[in-house]
């Protein structure tokens, strides 16, 4: 029996790396993206593509239902997202904070709503949220991400408390600076490893968490930041 994985924001960067890695691991993979680039990734990994936004409840629901129609199950969900606004702490607008909430938090809430009943019926499932190291080490450079992803850090604990007995796991992966976006020399110098993470390294953590080897890991926030937050 083939296992099925859903990857949101999966057309580039961490999302695309996760989609490729899970396909390599033997999963049937469905990819969601706002652009048609998802079709290229899906064709490459012999999966399916769905065009839509992580901030749209109907798009997420339709995406999950497309995977169920195609494969009749959902084993793993990777909640990856884009980026919210940055700016001076008290100058960020209400709309910018609300947009961040939709991008970083409500996407997880809504996807959990859609897939949890499916996973309960199967007796197993795994949800992995791509978060950020700022969830645990807030930064004034990323105020919206810092505040809202801290809420997500607690949500995974609540979810695991509620659904671990159903065989369902939820964990967060907290990357530092990743090579899908360029960083300047000053940022690189701050990282004890003196380099950015490769998207493939983040995908490797995701692959492990999606595997049976990680079946007892639940409700965790797992940093992959090259030692950056240890230096704060």
């Amino acid at each position: 029996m083939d296992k099925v994985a859903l990857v949101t924001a999966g057309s580039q960067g961490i999302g695309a790396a996760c989609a490729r890695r899970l396909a390599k691991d033997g999963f049937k993979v469905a990819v969601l993206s706002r652009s048609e680039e998802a079709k290229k990734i899906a064709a490459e990994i012999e999966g399916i593509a769905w065009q839509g936004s992580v901030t749209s409840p109907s798009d997420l629901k339709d995406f999950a239902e497309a995977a169920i129609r195609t494969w009749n199950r959902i084993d793993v969900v990777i909640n990856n997202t884009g980026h919210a606004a940055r700016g001076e702490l008290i100058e960020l607008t209400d709309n910018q904070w609300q947009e961040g909430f939709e991008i970083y938090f409500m996407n997880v809430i809504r996807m959990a709503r859609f897939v949890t009943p499916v996973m309960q019926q199967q007796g197993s499932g795994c949800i992995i949220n791509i978060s950020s190291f700022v969830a645990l080490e807030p930064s004034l450079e990323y105020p919206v991400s810092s505040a809202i992803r801290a809420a997500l850090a607690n949500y995974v604990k609540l979810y695991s408390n509620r659904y671990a007995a159903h065989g369902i796991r939820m964990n967060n992966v907290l990357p530092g600076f990743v090579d899908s976006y360029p960083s300047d020399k000053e940022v690189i110098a701050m990282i004890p490893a003196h380099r950015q993470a490769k998207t493939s390294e983040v995908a490797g953590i995701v692959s492990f968490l999606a595997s049976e080897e990680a079946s007892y890991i639940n409700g965790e926030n797992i940093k992959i930041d090259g030692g950056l937050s240890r230096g704060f």
Side-chain angles (χ1 to χ4, degrees):
M1 177 182 62
D2 291 321
K3 288 194 172 184
V4 175
L6 277 58
V7 181
T8 66
S11 65
Q12 59 184 345
I14 291 173
C18 289
R20 292 186 176 104
R21 178 57 186 265
L22 291 171
K24 184 179 178 180
D25 291 343
F27 284 86
K28 298 294 186 182
V29 180
V31 178
L32 174 76
S33 174
R34 287 183 300 177
S35 73
E36 293 192 355
E37 290 297 309
K39 293 180 180 178
K40 295 181 181 179
I41 300 294
E44 176 188 333
I45 62 177
E46 298 182 354
I48 62 172
W50 198 264
Q51 191 166 355
S53 170
V54 299
T55 63
S56 167
S58 60
D59 286 352
L60 292 176
K61 185 174 185 288
D62 291 346
F63 176 51
E65 289 178 346
I68 293 169
R69 284 195 306 271
T70 304
W71 295 302
N72 202 37
R73 63 184 298 114
I74 297 173
D75 297 281
V76 173
V77 175
I78 312 302
N79 286 312
N80 186 45
T81 69
H83 296 278
R86 296 168 57 183
E88 180 59 36
L89 185 62
I90 62 171
E91 294 177 3
L92 289 160
T93 67
D94 286 3
N95 283 341
Q96 287 174 317
W97 282 104
Q98 288 163 359
E99 287 169 1
F101 198 68
E102 291 287 320
I103 291 169
Y104 293 140
F105 192 78
M106 290 308 300
N107 64 313
V108 174
I109 303 296
R110 290 164 179 154
M111 187 62 86
R113 228 181 254 145
F114 302 140
V115 304
T116 299
V118 177
M119 293 177 173
Q120 283 180 297
Q121 187 174 8
Q122 295 168 178
S124 65
C126 175
I127 301 173
I128 302 167
N129 309 313
I130 306 301
S131 182
S132 168
F133 78 99
V134 298
L136 303 182
E137 300 288 350
S139 167
L140 284 171
E141 290 290 319
Y142 307 96
V144 175
S145 180
S146 296
I148 296 171
R149 282 172 157 156
L152 184 61
N154 281 319
Y155 181 78
V156 295
K157 298 176 184 179
L158 296 172
Y159 186 93
S160 64
N161 285 346
R162 178 65 180 84
Y163 292 107
H166 296 257
I168 307 173
R169 298 181 292 116
M170 180 184 282
N171 293 290
N172 289 341
V173 174
L174 281 55
F177 293 94
V178 181
D179 65 3
S180 51
Y181 291 92
S183 289
D184 57 35
K185 292 180 180 179
E186 289 76 14
V187 169
I188 299 298
M190 291 169 52
I191 304 169
H194 296 304
R195 67 175 180 86
Q196 294 172 275
K198 300 174 184 176
T199 56
S200 60
E201 290 174 312
V202 180
I205 296 295
V206 168
S207 170
F208 170 68
L209 290 173
S211 73
E212 289 301 315
E213 293 178 326
S215 60
Y216 208 58
I217 299 176
N218 208 347
E220 296 296 330
N221 290 275
I222 300 172
K223 291 186 292 184
I224 172 169
D225 64 1
L228 176 62
S229 55
R230 291 174 62 90
F232 288 160

